[in-house]
Amino acid sequence: MISNDTRPSISLQSDLFDRISQVLTLGFVLVTIVVPIYYFPTLPETIPTHFNFNGEADGFGPKGQVFWISGSATSLYILFFFLIRYPHKFNYVVEITKENAERQYRIATKMIHVINVLCTGFFAYLTVQSVLIGLGKNIGIGTYSVGFFVLVTLGTLFFFVSRSLSNQ
């Protein structure tokens, strides 16, 4: 088995999928920034800051806390933006060899792209819902929203790990 230090360091070229996912992710991050800025003056002093598994607001705080989601989404975007440049440092479920390195690195970076889109998309959804609830235009994020997000994220992980194992 090749250790992280001796794995081939391959420069992967971005393909259309990578570029589309980066644009989607950046768009979601911008939603988490622009929506709170635009609606901030009209928001009440207290807005929902936490939702239970049923999508009901169960935690409230000052309206400025809506920017915590923006900060989290932006941080995640930046972290993953740089992380995908070092796929030879990732942990893998298969042994990385010179023969399978490029294929495994592509699978892993695609997984990171999809997880980033899902997470920042969910942050954008939570931002919009928090603002709408704060403005009295909505009552919750939906009964199945959190469960759906968790299932889709776990499904994504399962899909990419399966691809990694089948493409050794």
Side-chain angles (χ1 to χ4, degrees), residues 18-55:
D18 298 337
R19 289 189 294 276
I20 289 172
S21 67
Q22 289 169 346
V23 168
L24 283 171
T25 302
L26 185 57
F28 288 141
V29 169
L30 289 175
V31 166
T32 69
I33 297 168
V34 172
V35 168
I37 289 172
Y38 181 80
Y39 286 102
F40 194 79
T42 60
L43 284 174
E45 291 304 313
T46 301
I47 62 165
T49 58
H50 188 268
F51 300 91
N52 64 23
F53 197 73
N54 292 323

Side-chain angles (χ1 to χ4, degrees), residues 9 45 87-88 97 143 159 162:
S9 180
E45 291 304 313
H88 60 284
T97 64
T143 305
F159 172 79
S162 297

